[in-house]
Amino acid sequence: MAERDFLVDFAALSRIGATEHGGVDREAATPADGAARRWLLEWFDRYGLGTAVDPVGNMYGLVEWLPGAPFVLVGSHLDSQPTAGRFDGAYGVLAAVHAVAVAREAVSAGALVPRANLAVVNWFNEEGSRFSPSLMGSGVYTGKLDLAATLAVTDRDGVGVGEALADIGFAGSDPMPPAAAYAEIHIEQGRVLQDTGTTIGVVTSNWAARKYTVTVRGEQSHTGATHLADRRDALVGASRLVLAVRELAERFGRDQLLGSVGRFTVRPNSPVVVPAEVTLAVDLRSADPDVLGKAHELFLAEVDAVTAAGEVSAHVDAMSARPSSRYPSSGIELAEAAARRAGLPTRRMVTMAGHDSVNLNDVVSTVMLFVPSDQGISHSEAEHTEDADLLAGVRVLTEVTTALLTASHPGGLAG
Ligand SMILES: [Zn+2]
């Protein structure tokens, strides 16, 4: 498996669902996601990997040397945000494909004795843009999400996850291969590596996150014929919350707390109608659980304050919390040793964004790696990583994969 092959494959994958400005649009279980998945299946077939699709649409490319033994899983996600970059997730899946192919060749050549089986994984719906929540496939895999409830989740047009997967031919029924360990590589989506001239980031823990769905209710009326005193404008209340989230984040000081409203749905959304109802998706994150806990209380108080002001009512319909957790130190050291063997500088860092590895890390020994993102730009068509960094990441992921495969207890990276 030559390095050039990786770049050729990455260019081919990037053409699927390509957008005008060099990005991709492959939201989960859309026809473009289906096409990217078929491309991956063909790759698995061509290189002799066994294929499996589980009931939530996670795809696996399997290499089974030891019947009944668990698998070292290596992967990421092929789905994207709408008009996103071509590196987020897809890079990690393709890097895993190449790492697994190299490890398999080494075993065939007798250079490596595996103590576990090996599989590439493409997790379903990591992004959570079409179907909420994010990290859906790995959430079901790790038992954090219920399968039946997940398949019933609908998008904004009322199409369910199960139905959408069937539409693209990926409503699978294969069992989920048990994991011995998990490794994932991803673009950093921040600028620490670029700013410090480091090629490989080794993730030590993840930021904690809290997410909320809030609905503000007012009363629908005519924008031209309703006196101000009689208006109950849901959009005015919702706008107060948008600004409150920003002010909350600023109150904690630089990089202590991140906060945004990422989705905003106005009903009925007509130019001549005072909005009756607005739904907001709010996202708060911090590396410090105490900061996030305090921010959580303050945010709930802001929601109450919108209601208390009298014109409209605001309610939190749903909320979820992802705690901050540490990646095992033995995995961090294994990754650093792998990078040293590849002659590449590393830096320990915390991931601000969520990844499937955050789910896997709760149930199995997990290693998470980063490569630089130009200017930290992500979830944008302008996302970019240099070829040399992509290839360096593949080399380190390959080293990590073979190290996990030959570890005497692949699942035993505790610590
Ligand atoms: Zn991603």
Side-chain angles (χ1 to χ4, degrees), residues 23-184:
V24 294
D25 187 347
R26 294 195 304 240
E27 282 192 282
T30 55
D33 185 32
R37 288 164 159 267
R38 278 191 298 282
W39 183 90
L40 184 62
L41 269 190
E42 278 162 26
W43 203 104
F44 290 164
D45 274 347
R46 198 163 1 116
Y47 287 86
L49 273 59
T51 57
V53 180
D54 72 20
V56 73
N58 296 320
M59 292 172 62
Y60 309 90
L62 306 159
V63 190
E64 209 165 349
W65 297 288
L66 309 165
F71 290 75
V72 170
L73 296 179
V74 194
S76 193
H77 61 95
L78 287 182
D79 73 307
S80 81
Q81 295 285 331
T83 55
R86 61 189 193 275
F87 301 89
D88 179 353
Y91 166 62
V93 173
L94 200 59
V97 160
H98 279 252
V100 165
V102 170
R104 182 165 166 267
E105 284 170 6
V107 171
S108 298
L112 202 74
V113 179
R115 308 188 76 136
N117 294 312
L118 183 59
V120 177
V121 53
N122 167 32
W123 300 111
F124 174 67
N125 187 29
E126 190 272 351
E127 296 287 358
S129 55
R130 180 179 176 195
F131 300 105
S132 188
S134 57
L135 312 184
M136 194 174 255
S138 60
V140 171
Y141 180 91
T142 52
K144 294 178 179 191
L145 297 177
D146 176 69
L147 173 64
T150 298
L151 294 176
V153 168
T154 53
D155 67 8
R156 271 175 286 184
D157 299 325
V159 179
V161 166
E163 190 186 345
L165 281 170
D167 283 348
I168 59 163
F170 281 89
S173 56
D174 295 316
M176 298 175 174
Y182 178 66
E184 177 167 357

Side-chain angles (χ1 to χ4, degrees), residues 114-388:
R115 308 188 76 136
N117 294 312
L118 183 59
V120 177
V121 53
N122 167 32
W123 300 111
F124 174 67
N125 187 29
E126 190 272 351
E127 296 287 358
S129 55
R130 180 179 176 195
F131 300 105
S132 188
S134 57
L135 312 184
M136 194 174 255
S138 60
V140 171
Y141 180 91
T142 52
K144 294 178 179 191
L145 297 177
D146 176 69
L147 173 64
T150 298
L151 294 176
V153 168
T154 53
D155 67 8
R156 271 175 286 184
D157 299 325
V159 179
V161 166
E163 190 186 345
L165 281 170
D167 283 348
I168 59 163
F170 281 89
S173 56
D174 295 316
M176 298 175 174
Y182 178 66
E184 177 167 357
I185 193 164
H186 203 280
I187 56 164
E188 182 198 337
Q189 302 175 291
R191 50 189 313 156
V192 173
L193 292 175
Q194 187 179 48
D195 287 353
T196 58
T198 317
T199 314
I200 301 292
V202 179
V203 176
T204 56
S205 65
N206 63 284
W207 274 41
R210 277 188 172 272
K211 299 185 184 191
Y212 311 81
T213 307
V214 181
T215 301
V216 179
R217 288 190 182 83
E219 204 171 273
Q220 190 167 329
S221 59
H222 195 304
T223 53
T226 313
H227 288 294
L228 269 187
D230 295 332
R231 288 191 193 210
R232 297 183 61 211
D233 190 333
L235 184 51
V236 171
S239 303
R240 294 216 162 99
L241 276 182
V242 174
L243 295 177
V245 168
R246 167 56 69 87
E247 282 156 15
L248 190 56
E250 285 172 347
R251 209 182 303 173
F252 281 89
R254 192 178 148 77
D255 291 343
Q256 286 290 299
L257 180 75
L258 297 179
S260 264
V261 173
R263 178 178 282 172
F264 200 82
T265 311
V266 181
R267 290 181 202 90
N269 209 20
S270 161
V272 287
V273 176
V274 174
E277 189 179 279
V278 179
T279 304
L280 305 84
V282 182
D283 183 317
L284 297 176
R285 296 174 197 234
S286 178
D288 182 341
D290 294 339
V291 167
L292 193 63
K294 224 174 282 169
H296 171 66
E297 297 301 328
L298 289 167
F299 173 67
L300 295 182
E302 294 286 358
V303 174
D304 289 343
V306 168
T307 302
E311 182 176 336
V312 296
S313 66
H315 293 280
V316 176
D317 300 329
M319 53 182 159
S320 64
R322 180 161 68 221
S324 166
S325 44
R326 309 189 72 76
Y327 286 68
S329 56
S330 48
I332 294 165
E333 284 155 19
L334 179 146
E336 288 170 338
R340 256 197 312 279
R341 286 197 295 281
L344 294 162
T346 60
R347 182 186 177 88
R348 293 187 178 196
M349 52 202 303
V350 174
T351 176
M352 295 164 85
H355 294 290
D356 293 304
S357 76
V358 174
N359 274 341
L360 271 289
N361 188 39
D362 285 341
V363 298
V364 72
S365 300
T366 294
V367 175
M368 178 88 206
L369 304 168
F370 281 157
V371 289
S373 290
D374 190 21
Q375 298 173 69
I377 295 168
S378 188
H379 286 183
S380 154
E381 290 171 284
E383 195 177 82
H384 185 73
T385 296
E386 295 296 330
D387 285 352

